[in-house]
Amino acid sequence: MIRMRLILLIVSALGALAVFAAGGVVKSPTGVAPDRYVYYPGTESLKKDEIRLIACGTGLPAARRDQAATCFLAEIGNGDKFLFDIGTGSMTNVAALMIPYDFLDKVFLTHLHTDHWGDLATLWAGGWTAGRTKPLQVWGPVGATPEMGTAYAVEHFLKAYNWDATTRNFVLSPEPGKITVKEFDYKAVNAVVYEKNGVTIRSIPAIHAGDGPVSFILEYAGLKVVIGGDTFPNRWFIEHARNADLVIHETFLTPADLVRLYGQSPAQAIGVGTQIHTSPQAFGKVMSTIKPRHAVGYHFFNEQSTHDHVLLGIRQVYSGPLSLAVDNMVWNISKDAIVERMIVSPDQAWAVNGPNKPPAPPAPGSVADPISDFIKSGRWQPAEAAQAPMVDKFKKDNDLK
Ligand SMILES: [Zn+2]
Ligand SMILES: [Zn+2]
């Protein structure tokens, strides 16, 4: 272990391949391998001065089974966890980490495109039914007008899900179904939006589609991680992402691949791929300018051909340490090393209980029954009769009235 650390340190010092997972030596046919390049969630404690960053979504708004839309989970050595964006489909990856939902109550949104917050519903309702005991907290930018801001979005999100909440409130405590929103100015540069327990999160403006989007800078224990939201390369990023340990920035599909694979017209492709988003060459310029310990590109469907095209574009301009993210890539970030591995997690993970007891459901009669007598009168009694012995036995076994 010490030797591996040493190798990582030397490699880090050389600056070429900071990300490294050593294979180690298998010394006996019945022994264990020291390192399989993978991380099994929940099996390693995090060191006090370490950050574990997990890509839970790296794709695009159009759904794809092997790549959800944007979501990065930062796990901090002090015990804090922060979700940066929660794009469509990403909660299946988050859930497979089997982290109690009480630890997943803080969400930072870069902007309000669905590929960055489309799975808030899954965290909100799914976490509520699976053991979260307190409200969700969401941080996000104000808009140029109130109705373009995060508070408006969440207020109307809850209105859209009124039926969901009202019917759940009858059987569950309403407390975990609440969402508190902390808005901040999207124009503020390097402004602190969160500061607690040694963690500081700052925001810088981004240039993407309309006013409002931001990127986040997370600092902890002398480490600096930048989580870039959608943006054309911007001067705030160049200035404030410098000296970072790990820098995530979008890199989009090449215009040619947007035409070939995404059905876009050439005019659309050049606009989306080089003005609304960041082209591989522009990503390379950003990284070769700010020189992070490790660079991460994301926000494209990463398959052999697209990977090669994006990589070739980046390598025209940037030769430093680089990952082109896919879902379930994980980085352990410390002063000593940045180690990249892939997560191995089950497809059929259940939620894991946390340390807190869920708040009690409302007392009978205190909340209006959302089912009318008319609908109740349609209950088919043979079904009740068929399940009666099982129900009786279960009640007896569990001392239920
Ligand atoms: Zn966007
Ligand atoms: Zn996006």
Side-chain angles (χ1 to χ4, degrees), residues 17-37:
L17 278 164
V19 170
F20 202 85
V25 177
V26 178
K27 290 175 182 157
S28 146
T30 54
V32 294
D35 190 340
R36 296 287 85 175
Y37 308 98

Side-chain angles (χ1 to χ4, degrees), residues 20-365:
F20 202 85
V25 177
V26 178
K27 290 175 182 157
S28 146
T30 54
V32 294
D35 190 340
R36 296 287 85 175
Y37 308 98
V38 297
Y39 167 58
Y40 300 98
T43 64
E44 293 173 15
S45 54
L46 203 54
K47 291 189 198 77
K48 189 100 185 91
D49 55 357
E50 191 179 12
I51 297 172
R52 186 193 290 128
L53 190 80
I54 298 174
C56 298
T58 55
L60 291 163
R64 171 177 283 209
R65 198 159 60 199
D66 92 328
Q67 254 181 302
T70 305
C71 176
F72 291 96
L73 172 66
E75 299 186 279
I76 314 293
N78 71 356
D80 284 335
K81 299 184 198 300
F82 305 95
L83 285 159
F84 289 95
D85 285 342
I86 184 151
T88 318
S90 60
M91 273 307 297
T92 49
N93 288 326
V94 174
L97 300 171
M98 294 172 288
I99 296 167
Y101 278 97
D102 258 2
F103 300 151
L104 297 171
D105 64 333
K106 297 179 195 68
V107 183
F108 286 73
L109 299 178
T110 62
H111 67 299
L112 294 164
H113 275 151
T114 56
D115 57 314
H116 296 258
W117 79 303
D119 243 10
L120 182 67
T122 316
L123 174 65
W124 169 69
W128 190 3
T129 61
R132 189 178 60 245
T133 66
K134 48 196 173 182
L136 276 180
Q137 303 173 69
V138 172
W139 285 257
V142 298
T145 57
E147 62 273 18
M148 295 295 270
T150 306
Y152 177 96
V154 172
E155 182 193 338
H156 289 79
F157 164 97
L158 289 171
K159 283 183 181 167
Y161 287 112
N162 181 54
W163 193 92
D164 186 304
T166 302
T167 53
R168 284 186 212 287
N169 283 342
F170 186 62
V171 288
L172 295 170
S173 163
E175 199 54 24
K178 293 176 181 163
I179 304 179
T180 63
V181 181
K182 285 160 191 137
E183 275 193 336
F184 54 86
D185 183 2
Y186 66 90
K187 286 182 180 164
V189 178
N190 210 32
V192 173
V193 296
Y194 179 96
E195 195 164 31
K196 210 174 172 184
N197 300 332
V199 178
T200 304
I201 299 172
R202 298 167 189 276
S203 154
I204 52 173
I207 305 171
H208 170 67
D211 265 34
V214 299
S215 293
F216 291 111
I217 299 165
L218 182 152
E219 289 161 300
Y220 172 74
L223 297 168
K224 181 166 160 180
V225 173
V226 182
I227 299 108
D230 293 3
T231 190
F232 183 82
N234 67 73
R235 61 191 175 90
W236 305 291
F237 201 98
I238 297 299
E239 191 177 336
H240 297 287
R242 275 183 201 276
N243 307 316
D245 294 280
L246 187 122
V247 175
I248 300 169
H249 193 291
E250 67 142 293
T251 178
F252 220 63
L253 292 158
T254 61
D257 278 347
L258 285 170
V259 173
R260 184 173 68 96
L261 299 165
Y262 224 0
Q264 296 192 351
S265 70
Q268 231 184 335
I270 204 74
V272 172
T274 70
Q275 301 303 313
I276 296 173
H277 289 284
T278 295
S279 69
Q281 287 82 357
F283 172 95
K285 187 65 185 173
V286 169
M287 293 305 175
S288 64
T289 305
I290 64 175
K291 298 184 175 64
R293 271 175 80 199
H294 193 77
V296 177
Y298 79 104
H299 214 311
F300 66 97
F301 283 150
N302 191 336
E303 59 202 41
Q304 189 67 56
S305 73
T306 59
H307 177 279
D308 291 353
H309 297 156
V310 169
L311 185 64
L312 284 169
I314 293 171
R315 287 306 189 204
Q316 290 167 12
V317 192
Y318 171 67
S319 59
L322 172 72
S323 306
L324 295 178
V326 291
D327 289 10
N328 294 308
M329 217 174 233
V330 54
W331 299 271
N332 282 70
I333 304 155
S334 67
K335 287 280 178 202
D336 290 349
I338 298 174
V339 176
E340 177 182 294
R341 293 176 290 176
M342 290 301 296
I343 286 173
V344 176
S345 57
D347 284 346
Q348 299 174 331
W350 287 94
V352 175
N353 287 337
N356 304 320
K357 237 173 100 93

